[in-house]
């Protein structure tokens, strides 16, 4: 049995398998969130790759990210168009394990359902430099996703999963994600950020199934 929110969403959401109609300016906006920890000390960490991708998307769309007021005060965000869709791009200003509050605040402010939420995040269970797309599922121990699930009351949001791979040997995963990318990984990091940003745009423009069919075979 097909899950209705896997193949389509209300209001022509990004779960729709086909490309959106060009004559549908009312579709969206979609909230695209890049996860990470705040401050320069964390900026290059593996755990911050979602925030890195978000910055690439903001630059592509010419969207300036700035702090808001009230419900938007715990994130920097900006509105514009990306991949032909209206979007709100956002990066929480809280630590990773408190990401859900800012995300919930933005969804409420913009009156958006969680089905129109796209979360870009690091993924231990995927090899480095591999990008995968999905809707729903478990959090895999990711504290940012856990917080978002608690705050939204659902797991049924879209995810752009950016592979960082498992730590070598017996290194604690919690320490591994809070380390900067290795010198070898940094040689491929820019390409990975571009690939993840491209995958996010495909997801918005063409829907989940079509984007998966294009992205998954090439990474």
């Amino acid at each position: 049995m097909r899950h209705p929110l896997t193949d389509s969403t209300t209001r022509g959401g990004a779960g729709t398998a086909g490309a959106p109609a060009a004559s549908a300016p009312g579709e969206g906006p979609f909230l695209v969130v890049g996860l990470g920890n705040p401050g320069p000390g964390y900026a290059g960490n593996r755990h911050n790759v979602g925030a890195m991708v978000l910055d690439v998307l903001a630059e592509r769309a010419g969207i300036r990210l700035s702090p808001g007021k009230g419900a938007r005060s715990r994130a920097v965000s900006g509105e514009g168009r990306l991949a032909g869709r209206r979007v709100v791009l956002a990066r929480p200003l809280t630590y990773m394990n408190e990401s859900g509050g800012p995300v919930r605040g933005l969804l409420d402010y913009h009156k958006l359902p969680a089905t129109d939420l796209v979360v870009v995040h690091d993924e231990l269970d995927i090899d480095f430099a591999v990008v995968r797309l999905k809707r729903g599922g478990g959090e895999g121990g990711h504290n940012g996703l856990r917080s978002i699930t608690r705050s939204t009351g659902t797991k049924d949001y879209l995810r752009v999963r950016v592979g960082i791979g498992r730590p070598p040997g017996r290194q604690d995963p919690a320490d591994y994600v809070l380390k900067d990318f290795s010198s070898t990984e940094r040689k491929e990091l820019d390409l990975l950020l571009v690939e993840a940003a491209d995958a996010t745009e495909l997801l918005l423009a063409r829907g989940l199934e079509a984007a998966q069919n294009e992205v998954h075979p090439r990474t």
Side-chain angles (χ1 to χ4, degrees):
M1 177 177 167
R2 292 167 57 181
H3 193 297
L5 291 175
T6 299
D7 298 310
S8 64
T9 64
T10 58
R11 304 188 304 112
T16 305
S23 60
E27 292 180 351
F30 296 97
L31 175 60
V32 182
V33 176
L35 296 186
N37 284 306
Y42 296 99
N45 289 180
R46 293 182 178 93
H47 220 17
N48 274 47
V49 73
M52 297 177 197
V53 174
L54 196 282
D55 287 341
V56 172
L57 292 170
E59 183 176 358
R60 287 183 178 184
I63 295 175
R64 181 173 176 269
L65 303 177
S66 58
K69 297 179 181 179
R72 297 175 296 157
S73 63
R74 293 192 292 165
V76 289
S77 64
E79 299 180 53
R81 297 193 71 85
L82 182 69
R85 296 288 192 126
R86 291 172 56 218
V87 294
V88 178
L89 302 183
R91 177 163 35 87
L93 295 173
T94 57
Y95 286 102
M96 181 72 83
N97 62 353
E98 298 176 338
S99 300
V103 170
R104 176 77 267 175
L106 287 162
L107 288 171
D108 289 347
Y109 179 84
H110 293 283
K111 297 180 174 60
L112 298 175
T115 47
D116 284 353
L117 169 64
V118 180
V119 179
V120 188
H121 64 92
D122 59 298
E123 179 61 71
L124 280 167
D125 292 328
I126 297 176
D127 290 341
F128 174 73
V130 172
V131 178
R132 291 290 181 263
L133 305 170
K134 74 172 185 176
R135 181 188 288 282
E139 293 93 2
H142 195 291
N143 288 332
L145 296 181
R146 283 177 174 171
S147 179
I148 291 170
T149 296
R150 283 196 305 269
S151 292
T152 61
T154 182
K155 296 180 179 181
D156 199 34
Y157 46 88
L158 292 156
R159 296 104 181 270
V160 179
R161 308 161 73 205
V162 186
I164 59 171
R166 280 277 166 187
R170 297 183 178 180
Q171 185 178 1
D172 186 344
D175 292 334
Y176 176 74
V177 299
L178 293 177
K179 299 291 186 185
D180 287 358
F181 287 97
S182 69
S183 57
T184 300
E185 290 169 335
R186 284 197 294 271
K187 293 176 183 177
E188 297 183 55
L189 182 57
D190 286 347
L191 184 60
L192 173 58
L193 298 181
V194 167
E195 182 66 42
D198 288 348
T200 306
E201 290 202 53
L202 274 170
L203 177 62
L204 292 170
R206 300 181 58 193
L208 178 59
E209 184 179 348
Q212 286 173 326
N213 289 340
E214 185 164 342
V215 171
H216 291 187
R218 74 185 187 207
T219 64

